[in-house]
Amino acid sequence: MYKSKILLIDDEITLRETIHEILAIENYEVISLSSAQEALDLLDNWVPDLIICDIMMPVMDGFMFYEILKEVKPLSAVPFIFLTAKKEDNLMRKCLLLGADDFLIKPFIINELVKIVEVKINRFKKIKNTVGNLFVGEKKYLLHEVNTSLNGILGSINLLIDGGDDLEKDNIKEFHDIIKICGYHLNRTMFNLFLYQIVINNEVRYSEKDKSNIGDTFENVLNTIQIAYNDADERIFFRIKKATIKVSEEYLYFILYEIVENALKFSDSKSVSVIGKPFDDKYYRVVIKDSGIGFSQEELKKIDAGQQFNREKREQQGLGLGIFLTRAILKKLGGVFTIISTVNMGTEITLYFPI
């Protein structure tokens, strides 16, 4: 049975443990932490249904923490309740104007806390069920991606039907190729959307028994990429040392495909290098490097689900989920993701997979 998830942040250990116990008795799944920084680390790959946060905390207070969360799309709609022992004038007004859902002054009545939590979580469930959360980016881009693929498939099929026996063999092959490319693109679009739901719902599953051969998987990735990039053989320079890593075939394929295909897409006709070999006895390292358009330092800070930069100017395709998903999944699997980039000079992404 699904339990609603609550994140509790308070540096006062006695109160934190008391609230944790009360909410656990009410059948909520609770994670309690003592600092906002710990919470940010957790929220990289865990999305709660409610956040309860103290205002007065060392290093990063509740206000600063909330401002950061508002900029993270998968977390921006999560109900947020402030806790405080302060009796400052207009403090409640300040909290609510920031966008918080509620405010409790310590000490508070336990039944009041339980009731507020129940109301906020139930309302959040209704919002999720009514509005849906399939994609957090620009809806026009999602519509464009789906329609472009469907138009390519249906248009080619209609031309094949209308042309009948009058079509040349080369024309028939061309239409078949278009259908194949568009079908694959549509499949990838939908798969990424469903995978996004798995990530934000904390449903990424892994097992110690998960294993795959990175050399074989990378060959499969190259074969698929060649469907959309005829020059892939000429542009991708790779040296992958075969090894068994502790990641399922499905997730490994997804991560490698997204990063390599992104490198090709954003480097015009320039080459892309992919180098993979064991790093130490714990990790296998893959470095993907291109000489493309790159990211500015400000853009690197803003990488998020559905985030795309200068889409119209660059005429790019996709939903802006690739880097967000690969980073989130790799971290969940016990790996490490790093990115270094310079505008007009290129991007280097390093992936550390557990072995």
Side-chain angles (χ1 to χ4, degrees):
M1 181 178 177
Y2 178 82
K3 289 186 177 183
S4 295
K5 300 179 289 291
I6 297 176
L7 173 60
L8 169 65
I9 311 152
D10 197 316
D11 61 329
E12 187 180 337
I13 185 170
T14 302
L15 181 61
R16 185 174 72 246
E17 290 179 347
T18 300
I19 296 175
H20 185 127
E21 184 177 350
I22 291 168
L23 295 177
I25 291 172
E26 295 294 323
N27 205 33
Y28 294 113
E29 177 187 333
V30 186
I31 293 182
S32 55
L33 301 171
S34 61
S35 73
Q37 185 56 59
E38 285 181 292
L40 289 177
D41 292 339
L42 171 71
L43 292 170
D44 275 345
N45 60 355
W46 189 78
V47 180
D49 298 297
L50 174 71
I51 297 173
I52 303 173
C53 182
D54 188 24
I55 292 179
M56 299 300 294
M57 295 184 293
V59 184
M60 184 188 302
D61 66 17
F63 291 137
M64 186 182 300
F65 174 64
Y66 181 69
E67 290 290 349
I68 293 173
L69 291 195
K70 286 200 300 183
E71 300 301 318
V72 182
K73 289 178 182 176
L75 300 169
S76 59
V78 175
F80 195 102
I81 299 175
F82 276 118
L83 292 177
T84 185
K86 294 179 65 176
K87 297 195 177 356
E88 176 184 319
D89 290 341
N90 295 322
L91 188 58
M92 178 182 293
R93 179 180 174 82
K94 179 179 179 180
C95 292
L96 297 179
L97 286 177
L98 279 174
D101 293 80
D102 220 315
F103 174 97
L104 280 172
I105 298 176
K106 307 173 187 176
F108 47 80
I109 300 171
I110 291 176
N111 288 342
E112 181 183 4
L113 171 66
V114 171
K115 186 60 179 177
I116 288 175
V117 166
E118 180 184 359
V119 169
K120 301 304 177 185
I121 285 182
N122 285 339
R123 190 179 70 177
F124 187 49
K125 284 181 181 177
K126 289 179 181 178
I127 292 173
K128 288 197 295 183
N129 292 336
T130 302
V131 177
N133 199 24
L134 187 61
F135 179 53
V136 294
E138 292 283 346
K139 298 300 184 288
K140 62 180 180 180
Y141 296 152
L142 172 57
L143 186 63
H144 170 78
E145 292 298 312
V146 174
N147 279 344
T148 299
S149 298
L150 285 175
N151 290 340
I153 294 169
L154 297 176
S156 297
I157 291 174
N158 287 334
L159 288 170
L160 284 170
I161 293 173
D162 294 340
D165 297 332
D166 296 332
L167 288 174
E168 298 289 336
K169 186 175 180 180
D170 288 345
N171 294 136
I172 294 174
K173 183 181 184 306
E174 183 179 358
F175 290 135
H176 286 172
D177 288 342
I178 292 172
I179 292 170
K180 185 176 182 180
I181 291 170
C182 291
Y184 177 78
H185 182 72
L186 180 59
N187 179 68
R188 181 187 172 203
T189 297
M190 300 312 297
F191 179 80
N192 283 9
L193 288 173
F194 291 130
L195 190 56
Y196 171 72
Q197 286 295 298
I198 288 172
V199 169
I200 66 171
N201 290 333
N202 311 303
E203 294 173 352
V204 175
R205 299 289 180 252
Y206 63 95
S207 167
E208 287 296 323
K209 296 179 181 179
D210 287 341
K211 290 182 181 179
S212 51
N213 188 295
I214 193 165
D216 294 341
T217 303
F218 186 73
E219 288 181 13
N220 293 334
V221 167
L222 288 182
N223 291 335
T224 307
I225 283 178
Q226 286 168 0
I227 295 174
Y229 294 86
N230 294 327
D231 59 351
D233 277 341
E234 301 171 2
R235 293 179 58 195
I236 300 177
F237 166 78
F238 66 94
R239 190 165 62 247
I240 299 290
K241 186 172 182 180
K242 288 194 173 185
T244 299
I245 63 174
K246 292 182 179 179
V247 177
S248 70
E249 173 74 19
E250 180 183 40
Y251 284 138
L252 178 59
Y253 178 93
F254 171 80
I255 291 170
L256 291 177
Y257 182 91
E258 287 295 323
I259 299 302
V260 175
E261 198 270 345
N262 254 7
L264 285 172
K265 181 165 61 178
F266 293 112
S267 57
D268 299 322
S269 299
K270 298 176 183 177
S271 62
V272 172
S273 70
V274 184
I275 308 298
K277 61 181 180 179
F279 178 69
D280 55 22
D281 60 347
K282 292 183 179 180
Y283 293 104
Y284 183 100
R285 180 174 66 184
V286 178
V287 180
I288 301 99
K289 189 173 183 179
D290 66 61
S291 302
I293 58 177
F295 296 95
S296 68
Q297 294 307 301
E298 196 60 32
E299 287 173 338
L300 285 177
K301 294 176 184 177
K302 294 180 179 179
I303 289 175
D304 197 357
Q307 179 67 64
Q308 293 176 298
F309 304 104
N310 301 314
R311 177 185 169 108
E312 289 81 4
K313 180 179 178 181
R314 295 171 179 174
E315 297 181 348
Q316 68 201 60
Q317 292 182 323
L319 299 176
L321 292 174
I323 292 181
F324 169 81
L325 288 174
T326 53
R327 183 171 59 185
I329 291 171
L330 188 57
K331 183 171 181 179
K332 187 71 174 178
L333 299 176
V336 180
F337 177 105
T338 67
I339 180 169
I340 301 172
S341 191
T342 305
V343 174
N344 297 325
M345 292 184 66
T347 301
E348 179 177 303
I349 291 179
T350 304
L351 311 170
Y352 293 86
F353 295 98
I355 58 177

